[in-house]
Amino acid sequence: MIMAGVIVIAFILDAIFGDPYCIPHPICLIGKLISKGEQVLRKRFYGSEKKEFIGGMLLSIGVVLISFLVPAAILWGFSKIHWSLAVLLQIWFCFQIFAAKSLYQESMRVYHCLKRDRLEAARKAVARIVGR
């Protein structure tokens, strides 16, 4: 029951405020993790398809584990202080992940640029979606 409330509250916050641009989006942080991990693993697993496959698998597993374990550990730590802090943090995490309002706004920028035949501006608007 609490989880349903967390999701509803996070969705309402997203509908009101949208994605906060002043802080890094979790997906951007995961993207940086992937880039850095790829740089490290390419140096060690280079030279054959088999080595690159193993490096890719290690990267995939590592990114999934880190993306799960870091928030889980933070939530666990907050829950040890007080359960309500963990609930508030869950709301914050869900609020950041939804980003529905911001996706709509950015998509509409692309649409309006394309409608006015401003292809270069539309490309830049698409890059804002992908980069965020």
Side-chain angles (χ1 to χ4, degrees), residues 16 25 39 45 50 68 83 112 128 130:
I16 294 169
H25 195 278
Q39 288 175 357
F45 294 93
K50 185 176 180 179
F68 172 78
W83 68 269
H112 291 300
R128 287 181 51 91
V130 174

Side-chain angles (χ1 to χ4, degrees), residues 38-47 51-52 55:
E38 184 179 10
Q39 288 175 357
V40 170
L41 290 171
R42 280 203 181 269
K43 291 176 184 174
R44 295 185 180 253
F45 294 93
Y46 180 76
K51 285 182 179 179
E52 289 181 4

Side-chain angles (χ1 to χ4, degrees), residues 1 3-4 11 18 36 46 58 83 85 87 98 100 123 126:
M1 186 65 179
M3 195 58 189
F11 189 78
K36 189 64 176 171
Y46 180 76
L58 289 173
W83 68 269
L85 291 175
V87 171
F98 283 142
R123 284 187 180 125
V126 167

Side-chain angles (χ1 to χ4, degrees), residues 92-108:
W92 174 255
F93 284 168
C94 289
F95 162 63
Q96 273 203 299
I97 289 170
F98 283 142
K101 180 178 181 177
S102 298
L103 181 59
Y104 172 77
Q105 291 170 333
E106 297 296 340
S107 299
M108 291 309 295

Side-chain angles (χ1 to χ4, degrees), residues 63-88:
V63 168
V64 169
L65 281 174
I66 291 169
S67 298
F68 172 78
L69 292 175
V70 169
I74 294 169
L75 283 168
W76 178 82
F78 272 60
S79 72
K80 292 299 173 192
I81 298 168
H82 197 274
W83 68 269
S84 62
L85 291 175
V87 171
L88 290 173

Side-chain angles (χ1 to χ4, degrees), residues 12 15 20 24 30 32 35 38 49-51 57 77-79 83-84 89 115-116 119 122 129-130:
I12 291 169
I30 293 170
K32 289 177 182 180
S35 295
E38 184 179 10
E49 272 188 45
K50 185 176 180 179
K51 285 182 179 179
M57 289 301 295
F78 272 60
S79 72
W83 68 269
S84 62
L89 188 60
K115 195 171 179 181
R116 294 183 190 110
L119 190 56
I129 295 171
V130 174

